[in-house]
Amino acid sequence: VVNGTRSLLRAYCLLPTAYCLLVSACSIAPSTVDPRGPRAAQIAEIWWVSFAIASAVFLLVMALFLYALFRPRPRRWDEPSERMTDAWLRESGARFPGQRFILAGGVALPVLILVPLSVYWLVKIVDIAAPRTPPDFTIEVTGYQFWWHVRYPDQGLVTANEIHVPVGSPVRLLLKAEDVIHSFWVPQIMGKHDMVPGKTIETWLQADRAGTYWGECAEYCGVQHAKMAFLLVAEPPDEFAAWVRVQQQPAAEVPDPVARRGAQVFARECITCHTIRVGNAMIGGTGDTPGPDLTHFGGRLTLGAGILPNTRGNVAGWVGNPQAIKPGNKMPVVYLDSESLLAVVSYLESLR
Ligand code: CUA
């Protein structure tokens, strides 16, 4: 009775574990098996095919395991079964017991499964290596600890942590890294691509449905690796063109007196790391630590590399003490009085 109760208790303890395993991958976005582009669709297909085959093999092995557990067997271990006797081995021509079964299950079956599967994987990998039609333009993304510098050389614009693309057409991607290895990943659009300092990695992406997709760094790159995210905004071609036109403009004039005061504070405190395009000139970024271009910061959806919605309160919190929100990031704490802080926030919000 005691043993029975113990087993029951153990089973109850295992239930939450089993439940966690069952639901651990259950979330809506960004799911790799909910693809929104051709590359992610192929990857999802590879996943489902591999999962189906692996499940079949698992069920087969489990069935054999149960058979081995419950099949009729000699009553005592020192009584050899018929198949273990020398006479049986001589008669069957086998060198050891179970030879045929081991050759079939351990050699023939894996070869029959893995060789076609490898060919299938290779065909798919080649298929997603390049787009069917040549890309319309190029986006250059450079990874920094812990944010993304984004440049559109064909359109002549620079932004950060938010990548816009038109729906339905392939875009050429050039991936770089400035300090350590990062990895560019948009689970619903494409697989991971490492960004290696000193190298330029060429690849592509395409979104087939309009939407805002979560992207993140997929290579451990330091203390704030987990908070190195970005958004990929896929929009209809006319909306994308409108976005490009806005981004090509220099920073707008600042009519509001508070924001004007904020611009002065910004020019004093922030400009060694951050850049802003004013008129035809790019100002700032003269220091050793580059920070994101903020020319159109007010129009972005998030701040701090995808970690917070771009609201007035969050911007104030971030500028006030970025180290409290993302400890170890490269933005130092700049001690501003509350009036200057709110003025800078007004200025940043005006940069649309
Ligand atoms: Cu950048 Cu991890």
Side-chain angles (χ1 to χ4, degrees), residues 154-166:
D154 302 315
Q155 288 85 353
L157 69 90
V158 169
T159 181
N161 303 325
E162 193 171 303
I163 301 169
H164 286 239
V165 292

Side-chain angles (χ1 to χ4, degrees), residues 182 217 219-221 225 228:
H182 303 273
C217 182
E219 177 71 40
Y220 180 72
C221 56
H225 156 71
M228 182 169 169

Side-chain angles (χ1 to χ4, degrees), residues 54-130:
S55 301
V57 171
F58 176 74
L59 291 177
L60 177 69
V61 170
M62 283 301 114
L64 288 171
F65 174 65
L66 289 177
Y67 170 73
L69 272 184
F70 296 113
R71 78 194 170 115
R73 66 187 68 216
R75 249 167 294 151
R76 289 198 353 243
W77 287 111
D78 52 1
E79 254 177 58
S81 75
E82 189 209 330
R83 292 189 161 208
M84 301 284 260
T85 58
D86 291 342
W88 182 85
L89 283 178
R90 266 198 308 279
E91 218 171 274
S92 67
R95 287 212 192 103
F96 49 86
Q99 184 185 9
R100 258 179 276 168
F101 178 74
I102 289 171
L103 286 179
V107 181
L109 196 62
V111 167
L112 277 176
I113 293 171
L114 292 178
V115 170
L117 201 55
S118 309
V119 173
Y120 166 75
W121 286 330
L122 280 175
V123 168
K124 288 283 167 191
I125 288 169
V126 171
D127 196 30
I128 58 177

Side-chain angles (χ1 to χ4, degrees), residues 58-250:
F58 176 74
L59 291 177
L60 177 69
V61 170
M62 283 301 114
L64 288 171
F65 174 65
L66 289 177
Y67 170 73
L69 272 184
F70 296 113
R71 78 194 170 115
R73 66 187 68 216
R75 249 167 294 151
R76 289 198 353 243
W77 287 111
D78 52 1
E79 254 177 58
S81 75
E82 189 209 330
R83 292 189 161 208
M84 301 284 260
T85 58
D86 291 342
W88 182 85
L89 283 178
R90 266 198 308 279
E91 218 171 274
S92 67
R95 287 212 192 103
F96 49 86
Q99 184 185 9
R100 258 179 276 168
F101 178 74
I102 289 171
L103 286 179
V107 181
L109 196 62
V111 167
L112 277 176
I113 293 171
L114 292 178
V115 170
L117 201 55
S118 309
V119 173
Y120 166 75
W121 286 330
L122 280 175
V123 168
K124 288 283 167 191
I125 288 169
V126 171
D127 196 30
I128 58 177
R132 301 244 158 95
T133 53
D136 293 334
F137 64 92
T138 299
I139 302 175
E140 187 190 282
V141 185
T142 309
Y144 285 87
Q145 283 175 321
F146 303 94
W147 61 282
W148 314 82
H149 174 79
V150 183
R151 202 168 74 88
Y152 289 63
D154 302 315
Q155 288 85 353
L157 69 90
V158 169
T159 181
N161 303 325
E162 193 171 303
I163 301 169
H164 286 239
V165 292
V167 166
S169 48
V171 175
R172 186 162 158 263
L173 270 183
L174 295 180
L175 303 177
K176 300 175 176 187
E178 206 50 49
D179 35 36
V180 297
I181 300 176
H182 303 273
S183 184
F184 185 91
W185 186 31
V186 193
Q188 288 180 282
I189 302 295
M190 60 182 284
K192 301 165 186 173
H193 274 273
D194 277 4
M195 309 164 96
V196 183
K199 278 191 173 184
T200 299
I201 289 145
E202 186 180 338
T203 181
W204 66 285
L205 67 76
Q206 179 177 331
D208 282 341
R209 252 196 278 172
T212 302
Y213 302 107
W214 184 253
E216 58 194 66
C217 182
E219 177 71 40
Y220 180 72
C221 56
V223 67
Q224 285 301 345
H225 156 71
K227 287 187 181 169
M228 182 169 169
F230 63 95
L231 294 179
L232 180 84
V233 182
E235 47 204 357
D238 52 335
E239 280 176 36
F240 172 72
W243 177 83
V244 167
R245 277 196 298 279
V246 169
Q247 301 296 313
Q248 284 169 331
Q249 301 298 314

